[in-house]
Structure formats: structure tokens, C-alpha cells
Amino acid sequence: MAERPALTDPFEIGGVRISNRVLLAPLASIGNWFVRLQAKRFGAGLAVSEMVSSFGLHYGNEKTMNELMRIHPDEHPVSIQLFGQDPEAMRSGAEIAARSGADLIDINMGCPVPKVRKTGAGAQLLSDPELALELTRAAIEGSGLPVTVKIRSGLMPGDRSGFDLAIRLAEEAGAAGIGFHPRVAKQGHKGYPDYAMARELSEILTVPMIISGGLSTAEAARRAYEESGADAVMIARGSLGYPWIFAELTGTEAPEPDRVALMEELAWVMDRAEEHLGAERAGRYLRKFYPWYLDRIDVPKLVRSELCQTAGLERAREIVAGIRDGEPVAV
């Protein structure tokens, strides 16, 4: 039996060279350009954007066009993930994403959130495989780029519709890769992923399969890579507040950052958020980021509470600097 490639080995998706097999997954409402750039700084071979509405691109929504399509020159290769259920909007959206600088397009066929599914998008597409194939073809035609699809194994327990659709997407629609989350949509992020099913799929597919789901630590990612037979791993929640997970998996930097390193990285995120959104919006937006970093160190409850509740960016910077330096922070 041939030896498995190491996670540090390069591979290709549709002719696009990826420097290693550790990827940042699409993170809804989180995976903007600076989160992707952070992952790349720590060693990720490819970063995928947060979900972007194909309708938002098709109709020229200002926020979608100006914020979600922003790509930093240092983050290539980068994949833009689109969602939607209309082939014409998908074709148009993929074309716009390509013009904006995407190297690959990804289509979301795995989101389990009801408000997405009720539109016929996300995981709901598993119930309409012909439409799923049409959307994939439309994205390929519109973008001229390799198109991957991120998909769940099914909708309900015992359902393998996603497994079956993944094969058709590659063989009939021309998908260049499959991101496979081996949990059904009903499970959300609960329960142990079915890596045995993923291995079964990996042995059938002739395109790369990227495994996702349950990869909260480097150890879990390595185990999933081996158990699933995947070509790469896709890290999502395991990277929140801990981009060092990419360094652990690629050997580019020592893991287990101390308080200083964590707060300096958080300060980098804060600076980029201000650059992206302006100080006022960034101050509010960042409140969901703070706990991801604070959970890794011992911080007094009052200090933690003020940081997580403040909408003022300058005050937040003072608190973060105090935590970094180990100095008391007035509240």
C-alpha cells in the first residue's frame, strides 16, 4: 500500500497548487479577508471565505461587493464560497468572484441553518440533486475557475443523500473537489463524524476530498485525516482564537502560545478589523472574537466582562494591552 501523503505535502485542486493539506474552512460571518490572512500567516495552504450570497453579488449589493469580496494580495490562493439556489445568480456571482481575484469557487451545500435551508440553499440542496448539479455547472461556466462543493453526508439520520450527490457532483457536473462533513444536517455540529463513510467516499472519488467536522484540535485533525483517507483537512472552530493550530499541523511554528502571544495576536486582529470596518463598527464586531482568545488564559472576571461588553475600540485596546503586560486594568 502506498504511503499516505503528509499534511505538509502539496496537492492540487483543479490545477491550482495548494502548498499543504491544511485548510481554513468557511466560517459564516467570520471568514473575512483578515481572518483568512491570519490563517495563511500561520501556515494554512488555502483559506475559504465566509458564505457569500450569490444573489448579493448578482444584484450588486453594496456590502456584499465591497466587504465580502475584499481579497488581500498575500492570501492567495483563496477560495470564495457562494450559496444560493438559482443557477443564473450562481453563474453571475461566480463570475464576479473570479473578477474580484478568487482562485477557486466553493459552493455551500452543507449549511444546516433553517433560515438558509428554507430558501432551498445550503444543505437543502441535498433534496434536489438535479438543481445541485445545475448550480455547480453554472459556477464553473461563470467563473472559469475550479469549483469545489462543501457538502453534508445527508439530511436526517440514516440518509446518505450527500454521499451519493458528492459522487455525481464530481462525475457529472465537473466539481474539482469535495469538502465532506460526515454528519447529517439534523446533527448540526453534534455527535461524532462518520469518518468511515468519508473513507468510503474518498475511495470512490477521483477528485480531492477534504474532510471537515469535529476538527477542534490538531490531534483530532490528524486522526480524521488518517481515518477518512481524505486528501486534506479543513479546520473551522478549532482555529477560533487559536490560529496556531495551522502551525501545529504544518510544523511552521511552536504551538501553545503564552498570554503575551495571544494578546499580541488579538491586537493584530483588532487592527485589521478597524482597517476593514472602521473603528465604530469594528468595536462592536470584535466582541465575538474576544472570548476565543480569553478562554485560553486566566483573566479576572471583571476584566473579561468589560472587554467582552465594550463597543469602544480604544478602550478594548487598553484592556488587551493590560492583559498582555499582566498589569491591573481599571474597570
Coordinates of all heavy atoms in Angstrom, one line a residue, residues 23-27 150 181 189 212-216 233-242 245-246:
L23 N -6.4 23.4 5.6 CA -7.2 24.5 5.0 C -8.0 25.1 6.1 O -8.4 24.5 7.1 CB -8.1 23.9 3.9 CG -7.5 23.6 2.5 CD1 -6.4 22.6 2.6 CD2 -8.6 23.1 1.6
L24 N -8.3 26.4 5.9 CA -9.3 27.1 6.7 C -10.6 26.9 6.1 O -10.8 27.2 4.9 CB -9.0 28.6 6.9 CG -10.0 29.4 7.6 CD1 -10.1 29.1 9.1 CD2 -9.8 30.9 7.4
A25 N -11.6 26.4 6.9 CA -12.9 26.2 6.4 C -13.7 27.5 6.3 O -13.3 28.5 7.0 CB -13.7 25.3 7.4
P26 N -14.7 27.6 5.5 CA -15.6 28.8 5.5 C -16.3 28.9 6.9 O -16.9 28.0 7.4 CB -16.6 28.5 4.4 CG -16.6 27.0 4.2 CD -15.2 26.5 4.6
L27 N -16.2 30.1 7.4 CA -16.8 30.4 8.7 C -17.8 31.5 8.6 O -17.5 32.6 8.3 CB -15.7 30.8 9.7 CG -14.7 29.7 10.1 CD1 -13.5 30.3 10.8 CD2 -15.4 28.7 11.1
K150 N -18.9 22.1 -0.8 CA -18.8 21.6 0.6 C -20.2 21.0 0.9 O -21.2 21.7 0.8 CB -18.5 22.7 1.6 CG -18.2 22.2 3.0 CD -17.5 23.3 3.8 CE -17.0 22.8 5.1 NZ -18.1 22.4 6.0
H181 N -18.4 16.9 5.1 CA -18.7 16.9 6.5 C -19.5 15.7 6.8 O -20.7 15.7 6.5 CB -19.4 18.2 6.9 CG -19.6 18.4 8.4 ND1 -19.7 19.7 8.9 CD2 -19.7 17.5 9.4 CE1 -19.8 19.5 10.2 NE2 -19.9 18.2 10.5
H189 N -23.6 20.4 14.6 CA -22.2 20.2 15.0 C -22.0 19.2 16.1 O -21.0 19.1 16.8 CB -21.4 21.5 15.3 CG -21.4 22.4 14.1 ND1 -20.5 22.3 13.1 CD2 -22.2 23.5 13.8 CE1 -20.8 23.2 12.2 NE2 -21.7 24.0 12.6
S212 N -14.0 17.6 6.9 CA -14.3 18.7 7.9 C -15.2 18.1 8.9 O -15.7 17.0 8.8 CB -14.9 19.9 7.2 OG -16.2 19.6 6.8
G213 N -15.4 18.8 10.0 CA -16.3 18.4 11.1 C -15.6 17.7 12.2 O -14.9 16.7 12.0
G214 N -15.7 18.3 13.4 CA -15.1 17.8 14.6 C -13.6 18.0 14.7 O -13.0 17.4 15.6
L215 N -13.0 18.9 13.9 CA -11.6 19.0 14.0 C -11.2 20.2 14.9 O -10.7 21.2 14.5 CB -11.0 19.3 12.5 CG -11.5 18.3 11.5 CD1 -10.8 18.5 10.2 CD2 -11.4 16.9 11.9
S216 N -11.5 20.0 16.2 CA -11.3 21.1 17.1 C -9.9 21.2 17.6 O -9.5 22.2 18.2 CB -12.2 20.9 18.3 OG -12.0 19.6 18.9
V233 N -7.4 18.3 5.3 CA -8.3 18.6 6.4 C -8.7 20.1 6.3 O -7.9 20.9 5.8 CB -7.6 18.3 7.7 CG1 -7.3 16.8 7.9 CG2 -6.4 19.2 8.0
M234 N -9.9 20.3 6.8 CA -10.4 21.7 6.8 C -10.8 22.1 8.2 O -11.7 21.5 8.8 CB -11.7 21.7 5.8 CG -12.2 23.1 5.6 SD -13.6 23.0 4.3 CE -12.6 23.1 2.8
I235 N -10.1 23.1 8.7 CA -10.2 23.5 10.1 C -11.2 24.6 10.2 O -11.1 25.6 9.5 CB -8.9 23.9 10.7 CG1 -7.8 22.9 10.5 CG2 -9.0 24.2 12.2 CD1 -8.0 21.5 11.1
A236 N -12.2 24.5 11.1 CA -13.2 25.6 11.3 C -13.0 26.1 12.7 O -12.1 26.9 13.0 CB -14.6 25.1 11.0
R237 N -13.9 25.7 13.6 CA -13.9 26.2 15.0 C -12.6 26.0 15.8 O -12.3 26.8 16.7 CB -15.1 25.6 15.8 CG -16.4 26.2 15.4 CD -17.6 25.4 15.9 NE -18.9 26.0 15.6 CZ -19.5 26.1 14.4 NH1 -18.9 25.5 13.4 NH2 -20.6 26.7 14.3
G238 N -11.9 25.0 15.4 CA -10.6 24.8 16.1 C -9.6 25.9 15.9 O -8.6 26.0 16.6
S239 N -9.8 26.8 14.9 CA -8.9 27.9 14.7 C -9.3 29.2 15.3 O -8.6 30.2 15.3 CB -8.8 28.2 13.1 OG -10.0 28.7 12.6
L240 N -10.5 29.2 15.9 CA -11.0 30.5 16.5 C -10.2 30.8 17.8 O -10.3 30.1 18.8 CB -12.5 30.3 16.8 CG -13.4 30.1 15.6 CD1 -14.9 30.0 16.1 CD2 -13.3 31.2 14.6
G241 N -9.5 31.9 17.7 CA -8.7 32.3 18.8 C -7.4 31.5 18.9 O -6.6 31.7 19.8
Y242 N -7.2 30.6 18.0 CA -6.0 29.7 18.0 C -5.6 29.4 16.6 O -5.6 28.2 16.2 CB -6.4 28.4 18.8 CG -5.1 27.6 19.1 CD1 -4.2 28.0 20.0 CD2 -5.0 26.3 18.5 CE1 -3.0 27.2 20.3 CE2 -3.8 25.6 18.7 CZ -2.9 26.0 19.6 OH -1.8 25.2 19.9
I245 N -3.2 26.4 15.5 CA -3.5 25.1 15.0 C -2.9 24.8 13.7 O -2.5 23.7 13.4 CB -5.0 24.8 15.1 CG1 -5.3 23.3 14.9 CG2 -5.7 25.6 14.0 CD1 -6.8 22.9 15.2
F246 N -2.9 25.8 12.8 CA -2.3 25.6 11.5 C -0.8 25.4 11.6 O -0.2 24.6 10.9 CB -2.6 26.8 10.6 CG -4.0 27.0 10.4 CD1 -4.7 28.1 11.0 CD2 -4.8 26.2 9.6 CE1 -6.1 28.3 10.8 CE2 -6.1 26.3 9.4 CZ -6.8 27.4 10.0

